C-alpha cells in the first residue's frame, strides 16, 4: 500500500498524540516532525523519524502528503495556517470559534492559490461537535442545540489560577450540571446562564504560608473565568495534584430536543457524547481522520479550505465505498 | 425563496411523517402524494395538495424536485427505488442491511442513466447510526462499534406475536441491557450474544378463553424472533394496549470505545443516542434533510446513488457555508 505521508508541526501534547495515532492507521506513516526549538534536542518516539527546524519544511514539500498543524490557536495557527497552506495539504484544530470565518478565509486564499486542501477546525469542538450540531439542527429544526463540556480540564482556566499570587500550581475542571442536561432532555428548552450549565472545580497547591482565603476569593471573583460560575476551590498538596490530577481528560455532550408531528405532539432527542481520558490524543486522532480526507480530496483535484461540514464521512474511512456499504451502513 | 418541491410515494406512517416534517422546513413545499390506493379515498393534511395514483407520477417529473419513497423495504422499495430513479431525484430509508450493496447498485444504474441523485438508506439505522459508526471507527480504529436498539416497538416482532393462536393483539418492545452498555463503556469490548444485548418485552391481548400459558410458551420458544432472547410476556386488556402502547417510540445507541496513546494507556468513548417518541416522524425528518442534499447535489450536476456516507454534512443544512462557519462550527 502507498502510505499517506504525514508530517507534524509542533511537538507538544497534540503533536505527540498525532505521532501515537499514526500507529493506529495502517495507511499512514510519519515522515517528520517540525519545531521552532533546536531539532537536535528532540527525539521522536518513532524509529527513523527526525525532527527538523520549522523553516526547513519548505524544502520537503515533495516528501509530505499532509502537514498536521499542532500549534496553538492563539498565536501559532493564525500565522502558520495561511502560511503552510501555500505549500502543503494541511489539517488543524483551530478552536477560536469567533475567529473561524476569518481564519477560513485566510487559509482558503492560500490553499486555492496553491491548489492544496486545508481542513481547519477539525478536532472535537470545533469538529465532531460541530458536525453533530449541524446534523441535529437539520433533522430537528426549530429548537435549540445545547453543548455541554466536561468533565474535563480547562488549560486556560488552570493557567489563570496559576497567575494568582500565592498559587504554586493548579488544575481546573469544567463540569456540566446534570440538572441542566435533564431539563434539555425533557424538552423544556430552557434559557441557561453560564452558571446554570457548568460549574468549575479547582484544585490548588498554595505556596507555603500563602493566604488561602485570599486565593479562594481571588479565584471566585475573577471576571470572565470564574465570577459567572459556581466555583469550588480545594487546596491540596503538590503530590496530590501530581497523583490525581496530572491527566488531560475531557469530553462533553451535544444535545438537541425537537418536536415532530402535525401538532408537535411527539418529543425526540439526539445526543452525542464524548468521554475522553486524553483530550490531546483524541483530538489528534480526529485530525488524522481528516488528514486522510485531505489527501484523498487533493488526489481528486479539489482545493481550498474545508471545514468538517464540507467533507463527506466516507473520506475519513480507510474502507472503500463498497466496504462501507457492506459493513457500516 | 424558490422552494424545493417534494412529493411522497406511499401515504402510511412514514409518508404522513414526511408531510408533517415539510412544515418545519421553510425551504420546502409538498406538491403531491402518490399511492397505489384509489386517490379519491385519500385526503392529505396539507391544504391544496392532492393524492394521485402512483402510475401518474411519470407525468409530473417537471413539477417535482425530489421524490421521497415511503414504501416498505421488504417488497416496495426493491422495485420502486430503481424504477423511480429513472425519472426523479429520490430519497428512501431502505433498511434491509444485508441487501444494501445490491440495492445501491440497482438504484445507481438507473440514477446514472437518468442523471438523477438518489439517496438510499437514509433513516436513522441505516442512516444516522451508519454515519456515527463510520466516524467513530475512523477516529478510534482497532476496536468494535456496538449498536443497541430501543427502548422501542418492533413492528415485525409485534406482527409475529399476533399470528399466534389465541392472540388478539400485541406490541413488542426491544430493550437494550444496561449491563451490556456499561461493559462497553468500561472498555471491556465484550463479545455479546443477542441475549446479552437486548431483552424483549411483550404486551399481549389474549382472546376470550385462550390458553395463556400456551401463548406465553409459543412466544418464548419462537425461533429467530424470541428464543435467543430473555423474553417477558405480559397479558393486558385491549383497552390497556390502546391507552399505554399505541405509540411508535424507538431509539438506540451507537457506542465505540477506543484506546489512545503510545501504549494504549488512555480510554475514550464516543456515544450517539436517539430517544424518539415517533420512529416514523423522526425517520421522515432525516429523509427530508437528505432530500435537501439530493436537490442541491442534483443542481451541481452530480448523479448516481448515494448513501449518507457520501454526502457532506453541509448539504443537509438550510444554512449557507458562511452561516455554518459562523453559527455552527
Amino acid at each position: 500500500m502507498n502510505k499517506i505521508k504525514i508530517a507534524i508541526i509542533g511537538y507538544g501534547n497534540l503533536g505527540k498524540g498525532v505521532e501515537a495515532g499514526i500507529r493506529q492507521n495502517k495507511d499512514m506513516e510519519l515522515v517528520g516532525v517540525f519545531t521552532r526549538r533546536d531539532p537536535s534536542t528532540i527525539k521522536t518516539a518513532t524509529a527513523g523519524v527526525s525532527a527538523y527546524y520549522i523553516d526547513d519544511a519548505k524544502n520537503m514539500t515533495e516528501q509530505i502528503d499532509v502537514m498536521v498543524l499542532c500549534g496553538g490557536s492563539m498565536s501559532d495557527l493564525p500565522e502558520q495556517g495561511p502560511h503552510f497552506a501555500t505549500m502543503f495539504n494541511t489539517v488543524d484544530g483551530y478552536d477560536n470559534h469567533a475567529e473561524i470565518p476569518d481564519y477560513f478565509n485566510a487559509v482558503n486564499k492560500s490553499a486555492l492559490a496553491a491548489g492544496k486542501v486545508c481542513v481547519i477546525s477539525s478536532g472535537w469542538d470545533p469538529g465532531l461537535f460541530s458536525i453533530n450540531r449541524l446534523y441535529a439542527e437539520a433533522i430537528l429544526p426549530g429548537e435549540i442545540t445545547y453543548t455541554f463540556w466536561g468533565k474535563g480540564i480547562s488549560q486556560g482556566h488552570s493557567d489563570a489560577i496559576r497567575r494568582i499570587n500565592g498559587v504554586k500550581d493548579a488544575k481546573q475542571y469544567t463540569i456540566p450540571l446534570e440538572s441542566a442536561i435533564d431539563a434539555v432532555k425533557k424538552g423544556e428548552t430552557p434559557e441557561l446562564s453560564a452558571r446554570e450549565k457548568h460549574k468549575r472545580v479547582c484544585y490548588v497547591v498554595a505556596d507555603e504560608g500563602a493566604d488561602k482565603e485570599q486565593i479562594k476569593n481571588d479565584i471566585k471573583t475573577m471576571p470572565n473565568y470564574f465570577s459567572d460560575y459556581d466555583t469550588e476551590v480545594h487546596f491540596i498538596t503538590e503530590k496530590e495534584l501530581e497523583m490525581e490530577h496530572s491527566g488531560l481528560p475531557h469530553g462533553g455532550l451535544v444535545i438537541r430536543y425537537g418536536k415532530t408531528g402535525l401538532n408537535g405532539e411527539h418529543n425526540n432527542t439526539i445526543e452525542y457524547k464524548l468521554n475522553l481520558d486524553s483530550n490531546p490524543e483524541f483530538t489528534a486522532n480526529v485530525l488524522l481522520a481528516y488528514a486522510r480526507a485531505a489527501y484523498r480530496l487533493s488526489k481528486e483535484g479539489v482545493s481550498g479550505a474545508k471545514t468538517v461540514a464540507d467533507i463527506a464521512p466516507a473520506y475519513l474511512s480507510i474502507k472503500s465505498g463498497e466496504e462501507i456499504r457492506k459493513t457500516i451502513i
Side-chain angles (χ1 to χ4, degrees), chain A:
Chain A
M1 194 196 298
N2 214 348
K3 294 196 175 188
I4 305 170
K5 293 172 186 64
I6 306 279
I8 295 166
I9 293 192
Y11 198 55
N13 286 328
L14 182 59
K16 286 173 183 166
V18 170
E19 180 177 29
I22 286 171
R23 300 185 182 192
Q24 298 185 324
N25 291 284
K26 61 185 180 199
D27 60 341
M28 299 181 183
E29 63 183 325
L30 180 63
V31 297
V33 168
F34 294 87
T35 173
R36 276 176 307 210
R37 289 179 274 170
D38 174 359
S40 71
T41 64
I42 288 176
K43 184 165 163 25
T44 71
T46 309
V49 171
S50 302
Y52 303 91
Y53 187 58
I54 190 168
D55 286 350
D56 293 335
K58 63 179 179 297
N59 306 318
M60 294 174 68
T61 56
E62 293 303 310
Q63 290 115 287
I64 296 163
D65 292 320
V66 186
M67 189 65 98
V68 184
L69 308 181
C70 299
S73 295
M74 189 73 86
S75 52
D76 299 332
L77 292 177
E79 187 235 315
Q80 292 177 357
H83 174 66
F84 288 106
T86 64
M87 45 188 130
F88 295 101
N89 299 314
T90 66
V91 178
D92 70 50
Y94 183 78
D95 67 0
N96 188 348
H97 287 262
E99 301 297 326
I100 285 173
D102 287 347
Y103 183 69
F104 178 91
N105 291 335
V107 173
N108 193 40
K109 199 175 157 191
S110 297
L112 285 175
K116 299 295 177 184
V117 175
C118 298
V119 185
I120 70 157
S121 304
S122 69
W124 58 271
D125 195 359
L128 300 179
F129 274 19
S130 316
I131 296 172
N132 276 282
R133 285 188 286 261
L134 194 162
Y135 279 121
E137 181 179 302
I139 289 158
L140 293 174
E143 305 287 350
I144 311 168
T145 308
Y146 295 83
T147 302
F148 294 91
W149 297 276
K151 181 184 176 179
I153 295 265
S154 165
Q155 209 55 52
H157 287 76
S158 301
D159 290 343
I161 299 171
R162 283 189 208 105
R163 287 191 292 265
I164 291 172
N165 210 0
V167 171
K168 190 168 188 184
D169 203 351
K171 287 284 171 77
Q172 191 269 178
Y173 292 88
T174 302
I175 299 177
L177 296 176
E178 286 300 326
S179 54
I181 295 172
D182 286 346
V184 173
K185 285 189 191 178
K186 276 189 209 143
E188 295 170 4
T189 56
E191 289 212 23
L192 297 169
S193 66
R195 188 183 302 275
E196 288 166 329
K197 284 186 75 183
H198 298 94
K199 70 172 177 176
R200 301 199 176 276
V201 177
C202 315
Y203 294 92
V204 179
V205 181
D207 286 327
E208 186 86 26
D211 181 344
K212 291 184 178 174
E213 278 311 305
Q214 183 63 45
I215 291 172
K216 193 183 264 189
N217 187 61
D218 286 353
I219 295 173
K220 290 191 173 198
T221 58
M222 196 187 297
N224 302 321
Y225 285 84
F226 294 102
S227 64
D228 295 336
Y229 298 85
D230 287 336
T231 300
E232 291 173 20
V233 179
H234 304 280
F235 289 96
I236 61 176
T237 66
E238 200 160 8
K239 186 156 186 190
E240 284 167 335
L241 192 79
E242 166 68 23
M243 296 290 287
E244 289 159 36
H245 305 286
S246 65
L248 291 167
H250 220 310
L253 173 71
V254 173
I255 179 165
R256 190 175 179 95
Y257 163 91
K259 293 178 185 298
T260 57
L262 278 177
N263 303 303
E265 61 271 39
H266 293 129
N267 307 308
N268 308 275
T269 53
I270 302 174
E271 292 174 59
Y272 183 77
K273 191 175 177 184
L274 296 175
N275 195 354
L276 314 173
D277 265 8
S278 172
N279 183 0
E281 288 170 5
F282 183 84
T283 301
N285 276 24
V286 181
L287 297 189
L288 283 172
Y290 281 99
R292 180 181 290 124
Y295 173 76
R296 289 183 179 170
L297 287 165
S298 178
K299 287 276 177 208
E300 290 179 7
V302 172
S303 65
K306 304 285 168 194
T307 72
V308 293
D310 304 317
I311 296 176
Y315 284 98
L316 277 66
S317 173
I318 194 170
K319 292 180 175 168
S320 69
E322 208 172 345
E323 286 174 291
I324 288 171
R325 290 191 288 279
K326 201 170 164 184
T327 65
I328 296 182
I329 299 292

